[in-house]
Coordinates of all heavy atoms in Angstrom, one line a residue:
R1 N 2.6 8.1 7.9 CA 1.9 8.1 9.2 C 0.7 9.1 9.2 O -0.3 8.7 9.7 CB 2.9 8.7 10.2 CG 3.5 7.6 11.1 CD 4.2 8.1 12.3 NE 4.9 9.4 12.1 CZ 6.2 9.5 12.1 NH1 7.0 8.4 12.3 NH2 6.8 10.6 11.9
M4 N -2.4 7.5 7.7 CA -3.0 6.6 8.6 C -3.8 7.3 9.7 O -4.9 6.9 10.0 CB -1.9 5.7 9.3 CG -1.2 4.7 8.3 SD -2.2 3.3 8.0 CE -2.1 2.4 9.5
I5 N -3.3 8.4 10.2 CA -3.9 9.1 11.2 C -5.2 9.8 10.7 O -6.3 9.8 11.3 CB -3.0 10.2 11.8 CG1 -1.8 9.5 12.5 CG2 -3.7 11.1 12.8 CD1 -2.2 8.6 13.7
L15 N -9.9 4.6 22.5 CA -8.8 3.7 22.9 C -8.0 3.3 21.7 O -8.6 2.5 20.9 CB -9.3 2.5 23.7 CG -8.3 1.4 24.0 CD1 -7.0 1.9 24.6 CD2 -8.9 0.3 24.9
V16 N -6.9 3.8 21.5 CA -6.1 3.6 20.2 C -5.0 2.6 20.6 O -4.2 2.7 21.5 CB -5.5 4.9 19.7 CG1 -4.7 4.6 18.4 CG2 -6.5 5.9 19.5
Y17 N -4.9 1.5 19.7 CA -4.0 0.4 20.0 C -3.2 0.1 18.8 O -3.7 0.1 17.6 CB -4.9 -0.8 20.4 CG -4.1 -2.1 20.6 CD1 -3.1 -2.2 21.5 CD2 -4.5 -3.3 20.0 CE1 -2.4 -3.4 21.7 CE2 -3.9 -4.5 20.2 CZ -2.8 -4.5 21.1 OH -2.2 -5.7 21.3
D18 N -1.9 -0.2 19.0 CA -1.0 -0.6 18.0 C -0.3 -1.9 18.5 O 0.5 -1.8 19.4 CB 0.0 0.5 17.6 CG 0.9 0.1 16.4 OD1 1.0 -1.1 16.1 OD2 1.6 1.0 15.9
P19 N -0.6 -3.0 17.9 CA -0.1 -4.3 18.4 C 1.4 -4.5 18.1 O 2.0 -5.5 18.7 CB -0.9 -5.4 17.7 CG -1.4 -4.7 16.5 CD -1.5 -3.2 16.8
C20 N 2.0 -3.7 17.3 CA 3.5 -3.8 17.0 C 4.0 -2.4 16.8 O 4.3 -2.0 15.7 CB 3.7 -4.7 15.8 SG 2.5 -4.5 14.5
F21 N 4.0 -1.6 17.9 CA 4.2 -0.1 17.8 C 5.6 0.4 17.4 O 5.8 1.5 17.1 CB 3.6 0.6 19.0 CG 4.4 0.6 20.3 CD1 5.5 1.4 20.5 CD2 4.0 -0.3 21.3 CE1 6.2 1.3 21.7 CE2 4.6 -0.3 22.5 CZ 5.7 0.5 22.7
G22 N 6.6 -0.5 17.4 CA 7.9 0.0 17.0 C 8.4 1.2 17.7 O 8.5 1.2 18.9
L23 N 8.7 2.2 16.9 CA 9.2 3.5 17.5 C 8.1 4.4 17.9 O 8.3 5.6 18.2 CB 10.1 4.2 16.5 CG 11.4 3.4 16.1 CD1 12.2 4.2 15.1 CD2 12.2 3.1 17.3
G24 N 6.8 3.9 17.9 CA 5.7 4.7 18.4 C 5.1 5.8 17.5 O 4.4 6.6 18.0
G25 N 5.5 5.8 16.3 CA 5.0 6.8 15.4 C 3.5 7.0 15.3 O 3.0 8.1 15.4
F26 N 2.8 5.9 15.1 CA 1.3 6.0 14.9 C 0.7 6.5 16.2 O -0.2 7.3 16.2 CB 0.7 4.6 14.5 CG 1.0 4.2 13.1 CD1 1.2 2.8 12.9 CD2 1.2 5.1 12.1 CE1 1.5 2.4 11.6 CE2 1.5 4.7 10.8 CZ 1.6 3.3 10.6
L27 N 1.1 5.9 17.4 CA 0.5 6.3 18.6 C 0.8 7.7 19.0 O 0.0 8.4 19.5 CB 1.0 5.3 19.7 CG 0.5 3.8 19.5 CD1 1.0 2.9 20.6 CD2 -1.0 3.7 19.4
A28 N 2.1 8.1 18.8 CA 2.5 9.5 19.1 C 1.6 10.5 18.2 O 1.1 11.5 18.8 CB 4.0 9.7 18.9
A30 N -1.3 9.9 17.0 CA -2.7 9.8 17.4 C -2.9 10.7 18.6 O -4.0 11.4 18.7 CB -3.0 8.3 17.8
H52 N -6.7 7.5 25.2 CA -6.2 6.3 25.9 C -5.4 5.6 24.8 O -5.9 5.2 23.8 CB -7.3 5.5 26.4 CG -6.9 4.3 27.2 ND1 -7.7 3.7 28.1 CD2 -5.7 3.6 27.3 CE1 -7.1 2.7 28.6 NE2 -5.9 2.6 28.2
I53 N -4.1 5.4 25.1 CA -3.1 4.8 24.1 C -2.7 3.4 24.7 O -2.4 3.3 25.8 CB -1.9 5.7 24.0 CG1 -2.3 7.0 23.3 CG2 -0.8 5.0 23.1 CD1 -2.8 6.9 21.9
A54 N -2.7 2.4 23.8 CA -2.2 1.1 24.2 C -1.3 0.5 23.1 O -1.6 0.8 21.9 CB -3.3 0.1 24.5
G55 N -0.3 -0.3 23.4 CA 0.5 -0.9 22.4 C 1.4 -1.9 23.0 O 1.7 -2.0 24.2
M56 N 1.9 -2.8 22.1 CA 2.9 -3.8 22.4 C 4.0 -3.8 21.4 O 3.8 -3.5 20.2 CB 2.3 -5.2 22.5 CG 3.2 -6.3 23.0 SD 2.4 -7.8 23.3 CE 2.2 -7.7 25.1
E57 N 5.2 -4.1 21.9 CA 6.4 -4.1 21.0 C 7.3 -5.2 21.4 O 7.5 -5.4 22.6 CB 7.1 -2.8 20.9 CG 8.4 -2.7 20.1 CD 8.2 -3.2 18.7 OE1 7.2 -2.9 18.0 OE2 9.1 -4.0 18.2
I58 N 7.9 -6.0 20.5 CA 8.7 -7.1 20.8 C 10.2 -6.7 21.0 O 10.9 -7.3 21.8 CB 8.6 -8.2 19.8 CG1 9.1 -9.6 20.3 CG2 9.2 -7.8 18.4 CD1 8.8 -10.7 19.4
F63 N 11.0 -0.4 21.9 CA 10.0 -0.2 22.9 C 10.3 1.1 23.7 O 9.4 1.9 24.0 CB 9.8 -1.4 23.8 CG 8.9 -1.2 25.0 CD1 7.6 -1.3 24.9 CD2 9.5 -0.8 26.2 CE1 6.7 -1.1 26.0 CE2 8.7 -0.6 27.3 CZ 7.3 -0.7 27.2
I70 N 5.8 8.6 22.9 CA 4.3 8.6 23.2 C 4.1 9.4 24.4 O 3.2 10.3 24.5 CB 3.8 7.2 23.3 CG1 3.8 6.5 22.0 CG2 2.4 7.2 23.9 CD1 3.7 5.0 22.1
E79 N -1.1 2.3 28.1 CA -0.8 0.9 28.5 C 0.1 0.3 27.4 O -0.3 0.0 26.4 CB -2.1 0.1 28.5 CG -3.1 0.5 29.6 CD -4.3 -0.3 29.6 OE1 -4.3 -1.5 29.9 OE2 -5.4 0.2 29.2
L80 N 1.4 0.3 27.7 CA 2.4 -0.1 26.8 C 3.1 -1.3 27.4 O 3.4 -1.3 28.6 CB 3.4 1.0 26.5 CG 2.8 2.3 26.0 CD1 3.9 3.4 25.9 CD2 2.1 2.1 24.7
A81 N 3.4 -2.3 26.6 CA 4.0 -3.6 27.1 C 5.1 -4.0 26.1 O 5.0 -3.9 24.9 CB 2.9 -4.7 27.2
G83 N 6.7 -7.2 24.6 CA 6.5 -8.6 24.5 C 6.0 -9.0 23.1 O 6.0 -8.1 22.2
T85 N 3.2 -9.9 20.7 CA 1.8 -9.7 20.6 C 1.1 -11.0 20.3 O 0.0 -11.3 20.9 CB 1.5 -8.7 19.5 OG1 2.1 -7.5 19.8 CG2 0.0 -8.5 19.3
F91 N -2.7 -9.7 26.3 CA -2.5 -8.3 26.5 C -3.8 -7.5 26.0 O -4.3 -6.7 26.7 CB -1.3 -7.8 25.7 CG -1.1 -6.3 25.9 CD1 -0.7 -5.8 27.1 CD2 -1.3 -5.4 24.9 CE1 -0.5 -4.4 27.3 CE2 -1.2 -4.1 25.0 CZ -0.8 -3.6 26.3
L95 N -6.5 -5.0 28.5 CA -6.7 -3.5 28.3 C -8.0 -3.1 29.0 O -9.0 -3.8 29.1 CB -6.8 -3.2 26.8 CG -5.6 -3.4 26.0 CD1 -5.9 -3.1 24.5 CD2 -4.5 -2.5 26.4
P99 N -10.2 -1.9 22.0 CA -9.7 -0.7 21.2 C -10.8 -0.3 20.2 O -11.4 -1.1 19.5 CB -8.5 -1.3 20.4 CG -8.1 -2.5 21.2 CD -9.3 -3.0 21.9
L101 N -10.0 2.1 18.0 CA -9.2 2.3 16.8 C -7.9 1.6 16.9 O -7.2 1.7 17.9 CB -8.9 3.8 16.6 CG -7.9 4.3 15.5 CD1 -8.5 3.9 14.1 CD2 -7.7 5.8 15.6
I102 N -7.5 0.8 15.8 CA -6.2 0.1 15.8 C -5.5 0.6 14.6 O -6.0 0.7 13.5 CB -6.4 -1.4 15.7 CG1 -7.2 -1.9 16.9 CG2 -5.1 -2.1 15.6 CD1 -7.5 -3.4 17.0
L103 N -4.3 1.1 14.8 CA -3.4 1.6 13.8 C -2.2 0.6 13.8 O -1.6 0.5 14.8 CB -2.9 3.0 14.1 CG -4.0 4.1 14.2 CD1 -3.4 5.4 14.8 CD2 -4.7 4.3 12.9
A104 N -1.8 0.1 12.6 CA -0.7 -0.9 12.7 C 0.0 -1.1 11.3 O -0.7 -1.0 10.3 CB -1.3 -2.3 13.1
S105 N 1.2 -1.3 11.4 CA 2.0 -1.8 10.3 C 2.7 -3.1 10.7 O 3.9 -3.0 11.2 CB 3.0 -0.7 9.9 OG 3.8 -1.2 8.8
P106 N 2.0 -4.2 10.6 CA 2.6 -5.4 11.2 C 3.8 -5.9 10.4 O 4.0 -5.5 9.2 CB 1.4 -6.4 11.0 CG 0.4 -5.8 10.2 CD 0.7 -4.4 10.1
P107 N 4.6 -6.8 11.0 CA 5.8 -7.3 10.2 C 5.4 -8.0 9.0 O 4.4 -8.7 9.0 CB 6.5 -8.2 11.2 CG 5.5 -8.4 12.3 CD 4.5 -7.3 12.3
F130 N -1.4 -11.2 11.9 CA -1.6 -9.9 12.5 C -3.0 -9.3 12.1 O -3.7 -8.7 13.0 CB -0.5 -9.0 12.3 CG 0.6 -9.0 13.3 CD1 1.7 -9.9 13.2 CD2 0.5 -8.2 14.4 CE1 2.7 -9.9 14.1 CE2 1.5 -8.3 15.4 CZ 2.6 -9.1 15.2
Y133 N -5.6 -11.0 14.1 CA -5.4 -10.5 15.5 C -6.1 -9.2 15.7 O -6.8 -8.9 16.7 CB -4.0 -10.5 15.9 CG -3.8 -9.9 17.3 CD1 -4.0 -10.6 18.4 CD2 -3.4 -8.5 17.4 CE1 -3.8 -10.0 19.7 CE2 -3.2 -7.9 18.6 CZ -3.4 -8.7 19.8 OH -3.3 -8.1 21.0
I134 N -5.8 -8.3 14.8 CA -6.4 -6.9 14.8 C -7.9 -6.9 14.8 O -8.6 -6.3 15.6 CB -5.8 -6.0 13.7 CG1 -4.3 -5.7 14.0 CG2 -6.5 -4.8 13.5 CD1 -3.5 -5.2 12.9
S137 N -9.3 -8.2 18.0 CA -9.1 -7.3 19.1 C -10.0 -6.0 19.1 O -10.2 -5.4 20.1 CB -7.7 -6.8 19.1 OG -6.8 -7.9 19.2
A145 N -6.8 0.9 10.7 CA -6.0 1.3 9.5 C -4.8 0.4 9.6 O -4.0 0.6 10.5 CB -5.7 2.8 9.5
I146 N -4.6 -0.4 8.6 CA -3.5 -1.4 8.6 C -2.7 -1.3 7.3 O -3.3 -1.3 6.2 CB -4.1 -2.9 8.7 CG1 -5.1 -3.0 9.9 CG2 -2.9 -3.9 8.9 CD1 -5.9 -4.3 9.8
I147 N -1.4 -1.3 7.5 CA -0.5 -1.3 6.3 C -0.1 -2.7 6.1 O 0.4 -3.4 6.9 CB 0.7 -0.4 6.5 CG1 0.3 1.0 6.7 CG2 1.7 -0.6 5.3 CD1 1.4 2.0 7.0

Side-chain angles (χ1 to χ4, degrees):
R1 256 191 327 245
M4 292 282 285
I5 296 301
L15 167 48
V16 181
Y17 177 51
D18 185 343
C20 39
F21 72 82
L23 299 177
F26 292 146
L27 295 179
H52 186 160
I53 297 294
M56 184 171 260
E57 175 53 42
I58 196 168
F63 173 82
I70 294 162
E79 296 179 67
L80 305 174
T85 300
F91 181 71
L95 293 175
L101 173 60
I102 300 178
L103 302 169
S105 179
F130 268 92
Y133 171 81
I134 289 165
S137 301
I146 309 166
I147 297 176

